[in-house]
């Protein structure tokens, strides 16, 4: 397995959330359509939108630039407007696109870290949901991040719509629900290394007695926020704990406490009114089984295609 991650060449400077027309379905379709070096005109011809004035292609061009910005494609000719091809394709081979895209977004540096930092900021409180008011979200982002650019409604909308398509969050009338979909958590546990002697890899979905804290540490740093607090004994965020309990009920995973207190993590109870030290569950190891074919274990983009 190739574990080398290679940044793309000649990446655009535009903020990831600045690609306001880019959506997860188009990213997935365009990325999957590339077979070797492909001309951009071929891609825009395939995915452009017919109008009375001709083929509209700006959204396709932005999709290509976004994929380039997160190191999923680059141009073999050096001109992203000319030809494109996949890169890092063998990095975690067979990894589903949704979790691959989240991983790539989390590898970005400097101000492009802002895309991953939105989730970190929203998970900084104990609540399972946050108010979806863009004014409220903007206040949180300005207060909790150090980026000096404007958090416009369009940038926030882009992040929310993108991450909802990837299964990281969902937006309802009550607000933004921070619990990721079960398939995303399952794939994250399959990918994460389970001990200091392992490298991350996406392969066998059957696992017995993996080191839970080691896996969660890697997921927290490379995919999405899982902890409410990492000081002392790490505490899992209630939104993540809910998903883990659901997966236990589905008999997809088992969480175990094998006496290794120095490597334990704590899960809050379902009723947060009872969340105190004595009611938190200690976990040190995890066993994982292949995910079922139930709707809860499909990514939102796959659910949409199933219902079309």
């Amino acid at each position: 397995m190739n574990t080398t991650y290679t940044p793309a060449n000649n990446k655009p400077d535009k903020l990831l959330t600045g690609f306001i027309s880019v959506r997860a379905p188009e990213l997935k379709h365009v990325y999957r359509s590339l077979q070797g070096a492909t001309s951009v005109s071929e891609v825009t011809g395939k995915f452009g939108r017919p109008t009375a004035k001709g083929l509209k292609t700006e959204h396709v061009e932005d999709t290509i630039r976004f994929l380039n910005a997160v190191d999923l494609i680059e141009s073999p000719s050096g001109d992203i407007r000319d030809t494109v091809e996949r890169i890092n394709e063998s990095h975690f081979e067979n990894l589903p696109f949704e979790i691959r895209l989240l991983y790539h977004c989390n590898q970005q540096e400097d101000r492009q870290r802002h895309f991953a930092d939105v989730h970190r900021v929203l998970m900084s409180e104990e609540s399972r949901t946050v108010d979806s008011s863009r004014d409220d979200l903007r206040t949180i982002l300005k207060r909790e991040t150090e980026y000096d650019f404007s958090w416009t409604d369009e940038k926030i909308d882009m992040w929310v719509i993108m991450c909802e398509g990837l299964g990281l969050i969902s937006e309802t009338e009550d607000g933004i629900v921070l619990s990721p979909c079960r398939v995303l958590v399952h794939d994250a546990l399959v990918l994460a290394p389970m001990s200091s002697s392992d490298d991350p890899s996406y392969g066998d979905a059957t696992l017995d007695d993996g080191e839970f804290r080691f896996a969660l540490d890697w997921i927290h740093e490379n995919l999405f926020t899982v902890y409410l607090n990492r000081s002392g004994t790490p505490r899992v965020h209630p939104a993540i704990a809910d998903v883990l309990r659901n997966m236990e009920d589905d008999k997809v995973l088992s969480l175990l406490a094998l006496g290794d207190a120095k490597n334990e993590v704590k899960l809050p109870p379902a009723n947060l009114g009872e969340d105190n030290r004595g009611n938190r569950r200690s976990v040190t190891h995890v066993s994982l089984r292949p995910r079922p074919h139930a709707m809860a274990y499909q990514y939102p983009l796959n659910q949409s295609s199933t219902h079309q």
Side-chain angles (χ1 to χ4, degrees):
M1 180 197 69
N2 183 357
T3 58
T4 301
Y5 182 91
T6 305
N9 294 319
N10 303 315
K11 297 183 354 175
D13 293 329
K14 187 175 182 178
L15 288 173
L16 296 184
T17 51
F19 290 93
I20 59 176
S21 68
V22 171
R23 298 290 185 265
E26 286 82 1
L27 287 170
K28 185 173 183 176
H29 291 321
V30 169
Y31 177 77
R32 294 177 66 177
S33 75
L34 302 179
Q35 303 295 326
T38 306
S39 70
V40 170
S41 60
E42 179 182 338
V43 180
T44 55
K46 183 175 183 179
F47 294 102
R49 296 171 185 157
T51 71
K53 297 182 179 180
L55 202 62
K56 184 180 176 68
T57 63
E58 290 86 350
H59 68 289
V60 185
E61 292 159 3
D62 268 355
T63 296
I64 289 170
R65 292 174 64 216
F66 186 93
L67 290 169
N68 179 223
V70 295
D71 311 319
L72 283 168
I73 66 172
E74 68 179 7
S75 173
S77 69
D79 185 353
I80 200 66
R81 297 166 298 180
D82 177 31
T83 56
V84 289
E85 65 181 359
R86 297 185 191 180
I87 60 172
N88 292 307
E89 189 173 5
S90 59
H91 188 64
F92 308 143
E93 193 171 3
N94 300 320
L95 190 66
F97 177 81
E98 290 84 350
I99 193 170
R100 181 182 295 279
L101 180 56
L102 278 177
Y103 175 82
H104 276 241
C105 287
N106 275 269
Q107 306 315 303
Q108 303 310 306
E109 299 178 345
D110 301 323
R111 69 177 194 154
Q112 295 292 34
R113 281 288 307 171
H114 80 289
F115 193 93
D117 281 347
V118 177
H119 188 250
R120 175 188 60 78
V121 167
L122 298 186
M123 295 283 279
S124 63
E125 301 294 333
E126 194 171 17
S127 177
R128 295 175 166 100
T129 64
V130 295
D131 193 307
S132 60
S133 164
R134 298 315 188 235
D135 286 340
D136 289 349
L137 289 178
R138 185 163 29 252
T139 298
I140 295 171
L141 290 167
K142 286 182 177 179
R143 183 181 68 236
E144 301 294 339
T145 66
E146 298 178 353
Y147 304 107
D148 59 0
F149 50 79
S150 175
W151 289 101
T152 64
D153 284 358
E154 291 79 9
K155 289 186 176 70
I156 296 172
D157 288 346
M158 185 274 178
W159 184 90
V160 171
I161 295 169
M162 177 73 74
C163 290
E164 188 169 27
L166 300 178
L168 181 62
I169 59 170
S170 55
E171 187 169 22
T172 70
E173 293 181 354
D174 297 325
I176 295 176
V177 180
L178 299 176
S179 296
C181 63
R182 294 176 215 182
V183 61
L184 181 59
V185 174
H186 187 278
D187 278 344
L189 288 169
V190 174
L191 178 61
M194 290 286 173
S195 74
S196 58
S197 61
D198 292 340
D199 290 320
S201 65
Y202 190 75
D204 190 355
T206 301
L207 169 78
D208 290 319
D209 299 341
E211 295 181 33
F212 194 48
R213 179 171 175 176
F214 201 90
L216 289 190
D217 285 352
W218 190 89
I219 293 169
H220 186 88
E221 293 164 5
N222 291 279
L223 293 175
F224 51 85
T225 300
V226 297
Y227 293 128
L228 178 63
N229 191 327
R230 292 188 72 176
S231 60
T233 301
R235 292 170 56 197
V236 174
H237 193 281
I240 304 298
D242 289 344
V243 182
L244 294 170
R245 276 190 290 268
N246 290 335
M247 294 173 70
E248 271 197 302
D249 291 342
D250 296 338
K251 302 188 185 309
V252 174
L253 60 74
S254 300
L255 300 176
L256 311 168
L258 300 181
D260 186 10
K262 68 178 182 178
N263 288 321
E264 71 182 9
V265 298
K266 294 286 189 179
L267 270 64
N271 182 354
L272 294 182
E274 300 174 354
D275 184 14
N276 55 58
R277 184 172 298 180
N279 287 332
R280 293 172 190 150
R281 180 182 175 187
S282 296
V283 180
T284 60
H285 288 74
V286 58
S287 294
L288 191 66
R289 299 293 174 264
R291 57 183 169 96
H293 297 291
M295 190 68 71
Y297 290 88
Q298 294 183 28
Y299 284 102
L301 297 183
N302 292 341
Q303 293 178 18
S304 298
S305 62
T306 299
H307 291 131
Q308 287 178 352

